Amino acid sequence: MIYSEKELAYTLGFDPGDLRKVIKNIHSYYKGFSEIKYDKNGKPKVRKGQIQKRYFKSSQGDLRKLQDRLLNRILVKVPLLPNLKGGMKGESGVINAKVHKGNEFIFQTDIQSFYPSISRKMVYQALRSKGFSKQVANLITDLTVIESGDSLKGETLPQGTPTSPVLSNIVFERTVKQIFKIFKDQKVELTTWIDDLTISSNEDFQASILDVIKIIGNDGFKISRKKTTYRHGKTIITGVLIGHSTMKVTNDFRNRERGYLTDIQLNGMQAYKDYIYRIDKNL
């Protein structure tokens, strides 16, 4: 574990003075932009008369170098539950979906404005819980949070930086551990894919869903009611149609195949179907 500013700086390949300089001028190392949010029919999402947007903060120059090294030299080595799959090396949406194959009852929800809900304090406290010193936890937080157009709590994890996915997992692990306590006497599978949470079992666990939602809310997050479901049987998990004994591409995916596509697009879609097959069959 890293305990001092000097040790952190040298691990990241920077002089401590240069590290402090980047932090002091942190806003100059970000480029902000936004994208309109669209619904599944391709229409802009509107809320209270306003077109909804997704805000990004892309890190540049030395800050980007620091974040890349922070991710690859430090954050990926932080021990985490294997259930947190989004943004983790060796994981994919297909692998995430396979965990739930064969289970009859499936609960899914989406954490609304996930990154904008993860505050500076939440990042700092999560790092402290992993053994980082106060000084180093503060420095890492300084390097990875910024106020964005959709921030709900001042400085938050931005979309568009390499460190946000893993840091969000480090923060959300606390929530996952609490959810597992609800099911201590019941066999369930639970995975997260960034802001998507899926729980499945061959036993009906509908009576526990309100407790799950309460834990999520108590930890400072809000679920999307529209994207919250409890199903019995087939369902789509991170883009893959999951059945009792099958994994397939979705109907939307098949419909796109019937449209006008280039050879490169068709080859890419076939490669994705082959990948699902390999993961499904453990090839």
Side-chain angles (χ1 to χ4, degrees), residues 66-230:
L66 282 163
Q67 290 177 343
D68 282 334
R69 294 172 186 178
L70 177 61
L71 172 65
N72 295 312
R73 298 179 186 182
I74 298 174
L75 295 181
V76 295
K77 298 177 182 179
V78 174
L80 282 173
L81 292 174
N83 311 77
L84 298 141
K85 297 187 175 297
M88 304 303 289
K89 186 176 181 180
E91 300 289 355
S92 71
V94 178
I95 293 173
N96 176 69
K98 186 182 179 181
V99 173
H100 305 280
K101 176 186 170 184
N103 285 343
E104 291 292 333
F105 301 93
I106 301 173
F107 168 76
Q108 293 173 276
T109 193
D110 176 274
I111 308 299
Q112 204 167 18
S113 300
F114 187 48
Y115 287 166
S117 298
I118 299 177
S119 66
R120 160 181 281 276
K121 182 179 180 181
M122 293 164 76
V123 173
Y124 171 79
Q125 290 179 335
L127 291 170
R128 290 285 289 136
S129 74
K130 291 297 184 181
F132 290 96
S133 69
K134 292 181 180 179
Q135 183 184 40
V136 172
N138 261 320
L139 289 168
I140 293 176
T141 304
D142 286 338
L143 289 168
T144 56
V145 300
I146 193 77
E147 189 163 359
S148 300
D150 54 356
S151 294
L152 301 178
K153 303 173 182 178
E155 292 180 323
T156 59
L157 288 181
Q159 298 192 66
T161 62
T163 46
S164 287
V166 173
L167 281 171
S168 71
N169 286 338
I170 294 173
V171 169
F172 200 66
E173 184 183 47
R174 162 194 157 95
T175 308
V176 169
K177 286 180 176 179
Q178 292 184 87
I179 292 173
F180 269 127
K181 291 179 182 178
I182 296 174
F183 299 105
K184 62 182 180 180
D185 299 319
Q186 193 170 8
K187 179 173 173 54
V188 301
E189 298 292 349
L190 182 157
T191 61
T192 67
W193 187 260
I194 307 297
D195 56 358
D196 292 328
L197 169 69
T198 305
I199 304 172
S200 67
S201 177
N202 277 318
E203 303 173 40
D204 188 350
F205 60 94
Q206 188 169 11
S208 300
I209 296 306
L210 286 179
D211 290 331
V212 171
I213 293 172
K214 183 183 292 186
I215 285 174
I216 293 170
N218 288 343
D219 275 0
F221 299 101
K222 183 178 180 181
I223 67 166
S224 170
R225 298 285 176 180
K226 292 181 179 179
K227 298 181 181 180
T228 299
T229 60
Y230 184 79

Side-chain angles (χ1 to χ4, degrees), residues 22-34:
V22 171
I23 292 173
K24 183 178 180 181
N25 300 284
I26 199 79
H27 288 86
S28 67
Y29 291 94
Y30 281 104
K31 181 180 179 181
F33 61 97
S34 64

Side-chain angles (χ1 to χ4, degrees), residues 242-258:
I242 298 295
H244 185 71
S245 60
T246 59
M247 292 176 61
K248 299 178 180 179
V249 296
T250 64
N251 289 334
D252 284 346
F253 185 94
R254 294 186 187 282
N255 290 336
R256 289 201 301 273
E257 283 187 303
R258 299 187 183 102

